[in-house]
Every structure is written in structure tokens, then in C-alpha cells.
Amino acid sequence: MTGRADEGPRPGHPPQQWPQELLDHLRPAVRDPRRVVSWLGRTVGAAVGLQDAHGRLLAGERLPLDDAVLADVVTGRIAAAALQDGARHVRMVGIRHPEQAPAAGAVLAVARPGPFDRRAAEIVARTAGVLELLLRERELSDAGRRLRRATADLRLAILQLLMVEETVSARRVAAGLWPGLLEEDTARVYVVEGSPAERDALADACADATEGRALVVRCPAMDGHVIVVSPGQGAGRRLRALIDGRPGTYLGGSLRQRLARTAAAYGQAVSALAVARFRPDQAAVYAERTHPERLMDPALLGTWSAGVLRPLDALPHHIRAELLATTRLGLEFTAVSAAKVLGVSRNTVRARMDRVEALIGADFSTLTTRAAAHLALNTEAARESCGLAPAPDAPAPHPPAPVRLAGLLASPPLRAWAEDLLGRLDGDGRDLRRTLRAWIAADANAERAARELGVHAQTVREHVRAAEPVLERQLLAGGSDLGEVVLAHLATGALPAPVLHDQGANQGQADAVVHK
């Protein structure tokens, strides 16, 4: 079947209409090679296929083509070809690629029963030009997305190194793309919260606001969070201006911390974020408040912490540091969130925490033990970041006398602080203090606490939630805020102090490796 030559305009397609229709495909809202190919097939009454230089179909339908002629078009020996293949009239046009010339980046093939008249041939040629533009735009867009993804992954990798106190490695990674970004020894951490759907735009806005002088990372654990690590000055002011007038967007900031304390600064920013949700200006900076460890004898606290963690000293230094950093994050947040922040599997985080549990003889399923372990880990991290802790493989010539947690908690200033903190709850007629004590004793299990109190579990949750603004601490989210409240209960004697094997009674297997 030969078909009739298309010498005149097709019905519904006046001579001057097709150029405008073709140009319409360049409008931003409708740019799509598949739409163009479909339009070409309808306009010239043909079967159309668009494939790349490797034969992969990009749009339309796969057409049987002459291999020799196709090879000539792909390699650039000829720019286009017109031939009759049995009952079909075929046109092949090479789609140029600026980086592959003279070879073609793609081939447009058009086949129809009748021969191509001047109009049809011109439409095919002009369509090839439009497809060249669209394919190049797609390629550049894909390259841009890959570059943005790689840059985002690199920022996350730097944050993860900072979270485990690998500041030297973090500086080396950052130096290639952001010279001088981490030259300062200290930084503030900010967390900006918005809707997950708008987080990419929010992250870009944070990067613009900080003018490239801060590390901006999409939080791997919380879909709506953007983390900003700012070594320089002025980031807080710029970020406050950014969220001003943005409903549902909040800002929490940390105190200035050493880079090795980035994980602690992140926890402070998250804590401040909880306060920001109740502020008219939607922003808050972590309040410098009295922390329980500051009311303990520093020498005794250091001795106790070192004793609790002494079983880990037999491990190679890098494994010990990895276990401690992972466990700190796991206790500050959750194993799942810590895994996302560190870029490892949740099983890896749990294995590392299980290893620490076995070595120090702790049970992290109980809140009092978690609070005690968190105190020891944070004390050790602070000492190491200040260069005060001895090397793990350097045993003291005269081991200090053992210190128990109960002795640390017996400090009169600490007890006064604890009574003052928990006393804030006494003004509520619902007896929030009693509910909170039962909830902590039940290891944050509302059902168990409810059975103990003889109330509904929902009542327990409501009381705990009501205690948060009174104490100015997050409780349901866990972490250091809850740990402080638990220590307050221990200091007042409302709950018994946990007993850790702080003299290394449970040594475990020091040479077992659980890092990945």
C-alpha cells in the first residue's frame, strides 16, 4: 500500500497553525519530548519513534529501521536520511549533541504509508530541532539534580562526621567545596522546622540566608527539619528573618559549642525548637540553665564516669570512640533516628548500643539507667573535647577510689535544684508530680503507669504532656531533657538510683568488633 502524498493542509491543521503548535511545546509547563513525538505523529499521520544513540527508546514506538542507514545517522556520517522501505516511507533525523559531535545524541524516526511532501518534511525537521532543545534541557536538569544530590550527600557526610567527633575528617571533606567553612573551633547548630513538602525550598532558603557560610543539611531523621551548622556570626539573625511571616515554620538554636560537641549542640537546638512552637516569633535559643552535672563535684563526677566506661578502655581507640558516639546519639534520640543521622542501619546502632550495655553492665530499657549512662557518656565527651580525659590505653598509676552514683546525687546543691525543679509541678491540682514519678518508674509506659495509679493511660499521657511546659523540658521525646528530670527524681530520693557495674565487673569480649 503506497498511500496518497500529503500535498495540502490536513483537516484541522491550517498551513500557519502547526508552527505555533510546535512552539507551544516549549512552554515550561508542557515541555516533554513524549508530547512532541505524539503531536508529530498526529500532525503528519505517521508512526514516530525517538531513541538514543544506544537504541534505547525515549518516546513514541519502536520502529523497524535499516541498521546500516541508522548507523550512518548515529555516527554522524549523514545528518538525515529518507528512504522507502517496502510500503513505508521513512525519515531518520539525527538529534545533535554538543558534546558528541559529529555523532548524534538521539535519532528521530518517522514512518508513514505515503511519501513526505515539503510540508511534512519541514515539520519533521523543525520538530527535530525542538526535540534537540528539550533533550538538552532534560540532560542539564538531570545533571543539575545529580549535582544537587551529590552536594546534599556530601553535606550530610560532613554532619555525620561532626556528630561522631571526627572534626579533622569533616574539615578535610569540606575543604574541597567549601574552603574555610569549618576553620573555626566552635559553632552553633540551628534546626528549622517546616512542612515536609516544602523542605527542599526551605533548605535552599536557609543556604541563601546564610550566604554559603554555614553547613545546611536536610535532616535524615525528621522529614520537616533542616539542620544548619554555623561556625560564624549572624546566622541566627538571618534565620529569624527567614521564618518571620512563615506560618508553621519554627527555629531552634543551640549555644555555641566546640565542633566536637556538634551532637550536643544538635540536641540543644531540638530542645529549643520545642519551645519555639509556643513562641509568638516562632524562634527560640537554648536557654543557659542549671544542669545537674554542674552541681556535682567535678572530680568525683569525672572519676565516676571513667569508672562506668572503664570496660571500654580495652577496645581499640577508634572502636571505643565509635561505640560511645553512637550510644550517646541513641540515648539522646532513638536508635532509628541515630541510624538515620549517622548513615548506618538501625541494626548497626542497636548492635553498638548492645555492646556498650554488655560492657558496662547496664540495661538501657530502664529510664533511670539510661539517664545515668547518658550522664557518664556526656561527661566523658565533654572531658575529651577539652583534652582532660586520659588516653584509653593509659591506666592511672593509682586507681582512684570507686565512686557510686548515689554518692554523686547526695550533693546538697543538687538536691535543692531537684526539689525546685519538681516543685514547679505542685501548683497543678492534677498532681502532675505523682503521675510523672509513676510514668518514669514504669519506663515511660503509660499503660503500666496507669495501672499503678488507677487511672486511664490517656490521662497519664495528658499529665506528662502538661508537665513539659511547666518544667520547660521535652519529656515524651526522651533525650537529655528527660534525663535531667529523671536525675532530679533520683536526687530527691523519689526513685532509687540504678546500680551500674562501674568497676568493670562485666568485661565482655573486648576484641569483638561491632562497627560497620
Side-chain angles (χ1 to χ4, degrees), residues 115-251:
F116 288 80
D117 63 355
R118 186 184 309 162
R119 172 181 174 274
E122 183 181 4
I123 292 175
V124 172
R126 295 291 181 86
T127 302
V130 169
L131 288 171
E132 179 182 339
L133 295 174
L134 294 181
L135 290 177
R136 182 61 175 160
E137 181 195 45
R138 172 184 287 183
E139 182 180 24
L140 292 174
S141 297
D142 290 343
R145 280 192 292 271
R146 289 193 297 271
L147 178 59
R148 288 192 294 273
R149 188 180 306 116
T151 303
D153 291 344
L154 187 58
R155 290 193 181 104
L156 177 58
I158 296 170
L159 176 66
Q160 289 168 342
L161 288 170
L162 292 175
M163 286 288 194
V164 294
E165 302 175 19
E166 293 284 351
T167 55
V168 174
S169 297
R171 284 184 171 121
R172 287 174 180 169
V173 175
L177 286 180
W178 303 284
L181 177 63
L182 299 179
E183 284 184 354
E184 300 289 336
D185 291 329
T186 62
R188 292 181 185 270
V189 174
Y190 298 91
V191 177
V192 186
E193 180 183 67
S195 70
E198 298 177 353
R199 185 173 65 165
D200 287 347
L202 184 60
D204 291 341
C206 289
D208 292 340
T210 53
E211 300 175 345
R213 294 196 290 269
L215 182 68
V216 180
V217 181
R218 292 161 178 80
C219 179
M222 300 296 292
D223 290 341
H225 287 188
V226 176
I227 302 170
V228 180
V229 181
S230 174
Q233 305 291 335
R237 174 176 49 80
R238 296 187 184 96
L239 292 174
R240 282 177 180 269
L242 173 66
I243 69 167
D244 187 32
R246 288 181 178 234
T249 306
Y250 306 96
L251 172 67

Side-chain angles (χ1 to χ4, degrees), residues 391-435:
D393 55 355
H398 302 289
V403 178
R404 301 293 179 181
L405 180 59
L408 283 175
L409 298 175
S411 162
L414 180 65
R415 184 178 180 88
W417 165 83
E419 289 289 1
D420 178 70
L421 177 66
L422 299 181
R424 301 178 193 177
L425 301 172
D426 294 340
D428 194 296
R430 293 171 291 181
D431 202 351
L432 300 182
R433 188 166 178 173
R434 175 171 175 261
T435 303

Side-chain angles (χ1 to χ4, degrees), residues 477-488:
S480 58
D481 278 5
L482 176 57
E484 289 187 2
V485 175
V486 173
L487 289 177

Side-chain angles (χ1 to χ4, degrees), residues 444-459:
N445 186 303
E447 285 74 15
R448 281 169 47 198
R451 288 195 295 270
E452 178 69 23
L453 296 170
V455 298
H456 195 278
Q458 186 60 30
T459 301

Side-chain angles (χ1 to χ4, degrees), residues 316-341:
H317 178 68
H318 72 283
I319 296 177
R320 177 182 183 274
E322 187 176 64
L323 291 178
L324 293 181
T326 300
T327 304
R328 274 200 306 275
L329 281 176
L331 293 176
E332 180 69 36
F333 304 103
T334 65
V336 174
S337 295
K340 292 178 180 178
V341 170

